[in-house]
Amino acid sequence: MAIIFRLDTFTFIHVALSLIAIAAGVIVFLGFLANASWPGVTALFLLTTVLTGVTGFGFAFTKLLPSHIVGGILLVTLAVAIYALYGAHLSGAWRWVYVVTASTALYLNVFVLIAQLFLKVPALHALAPTQGEPPFIAAQSIALLVFLMLGWLAVRNFHPGGEAPAAVRRTV
């Protein structure tokens, strides 16, 4: 019996991977803030985020779209994050490079989630049908600001294998 891989099945897999990646990414990000790491959740986050990026290119298209550019940036960002973690073992500057690139990958997933919510949820779509209206811009701007502020704290706080500097410990 042949299995037909339909577009709706592919879309379901892509969306499921995206949601798993975001959930695992939030846990990893919270770990950065708490100076904790969970290797299994981190591997799940990185794997599902890579698969989300790769499967995003599996949808039919006739021209380069903004989603392809975001997907390309996501995959390059993930390559750096994966090298920083598994290749450079977070040594020296690779620690903050990893935190920044992993956080950026999570942000890009959330950015796309917000865009998809405004496309697919009727109430949100009514507020911003072209995604250029103030509610959409506000939602994306708030997400960006939250990631920038928490990302800065994550870089300061995450020091795996050792304690954070005293100045950082006092602010936590």
Side-chain angles (χ1 to χ4, degrees), residues 24-86:
V26 166
I27 294 168
V28 169
F29 195 81
L30 292 173
F32 293 159
L33 294 171
N35 193 28
S37 61
W38 299 286
V41 177
T42 299
L44 178 66
F45 164 63
L46 294 171
L47 175 63
T48 54
T49 305
V50 167
L51 292 173
T52 296
V54 170
T55 58
F57 288 99
F59 296 97
F61 63 95
T62 57
K63 64 179 182 171
L64 186 66
L65 299 170
S67 59
H68 299 119
I69 294 168
V70 171
I73 294 168
L74 174 68
L75 291 172
V76 169
T77 301
L78 283 166
V80 175
I82 291 167
Y83 175 77
L85 179 61
Y86 297 115

Side-chain angles (χ1 to χ4, degrees), residues 28-165:
V28 169
F29 195 81
L30 292 173
F32 293 159
L33 294 171
N35 193 28
S37 61
W38 299 286
V41 177
T42 299
L44 178 66
F45 164 63
L46 294 171
L47 175 63
T48 54
T49 305
V50 167
L51 292 173
T52 296
V54 170
T55 58
F57 288 99
F59 296 97
F61 63 95
T62 57
K63 64 179 182 171
L64 186 66
L65 299 170
S67 59
H68 299 119
I69 294 168
V70 171
I73 294 168
L74 174 68
L75 291 172
V76 169
T77 301
L78 283 166
V80 175
I82 291 167
Y83 175 77
L85 179 61
Y86 297 115
H89 305 286
L90 306 180
S91 63
W94 288 107
R95 176 197 57 83
W96 70 261
V97 169
Y98 168 67
V99 173
V100 168
T101 53
S103 299
T104 299
L106 176 59
Y107 165 72
L108 291 171
N109 273 345
V110 169
F111 175 87
V112 171
L113 174 64
I114 292 168
Q116 289 298 314
L117 288 172
F118 273 90
L119 280 174
K120 308 292 184 191
V121 175
L124 292 176
H125 186 72
L127 292 173
T130 68
Q131 295 191 345
E133 294 78 11
F136 178 80
I137 293 168
Q140 291 291 18
S141 297
I142 291 167
L144 177 60
L145 288 172
V146 167
F147 270 90
L148 288 173
M149 289 186 309
L150 292 177
W152 180 77
L153 288 173
V155 168
R156 289 190 51 184
N157 290 353
F158 187 63
H159 297 272
E163 283 194 41

